[in-house]
Amino acid sequence: MDEIFKQQVYEVAKLIPKGRVSTYGAIAKAVGYPNHSRHVGKAMGGCPEDVPAHRVISSSGTLSVPEFQKKLEAEGITVENLRIKGFKKLFWDPMVEL
């Protein structure tokens, strides 16, 4: 995977505010590769510790990594059955927010 792509993904993910979530697809679109959400997921799998990977979820509002539930709940996000409660309200769209 291209290092520049990964760095762009990480930079966008770092901008997601605490208490909000974004999606793999939204980040892919923001970095100019709208059909590369799986690549974003792969990049997030090996991201540095300063990147809030727990705030990046699937477009259905479901956690891809169950271990991230505790981190999200610590930020005030309610998770039920691995789904973000109030996902649409908490969704941070980099194309709108940036």
Side-chain angles (χ1 to χ4, degrees):
M1 183 178 306
D2 184 74
E3 282 300 314
I4 294 172
F5 174 80
K6 288 199 299 190
Q7 288 305 315
Q8 290 174 327
V9 166
Y10 300 156
E11 291 305 313
V12 172
K14 287 179 187 178
L15 298 172
I16 304 168
K18 286 184 180 181
R20 303 281 300 276
V21 293
S22 194
T23 64
Y24 300 108
I27 291 175
K29 188 174 181 180
V31 299
Y33 294 91
N35 298 317
H36 287 71
S37 57
R38 288 183 185 215
H39 287 82
V40 172
K42 282 188 174 190
M44 296 306 288
C47 69
E49 284 191 32
D50 65 332
V51 177
H54 61 285
R55 296 183 192 144
V56 184
I57 62 173
S58 73
S59 61
S60 64
T62 305
L63 298 186
S64 300
V65 182
E67 293 79 15
F68 288 164
Q69 181 170 341
K70 287 182 181 179
K71 287 185 176 185
L72 290 169
E73 289 174 339
E75 294 183 5
I77 296 174
T78 303
V79 180
E80 292 178 357
N81 296 322
L82 298 180
R83 294 185 74 91
I84 302 294
K85 189 166 182 151
F87 167 64
K88 289 187 180 193
K89 184 179 177 187
L90 298 174
F91 176 62
W92 183 82
D93 185 350
M95 297 298 287
V96 174
E97 305 282 347
L98 297 179

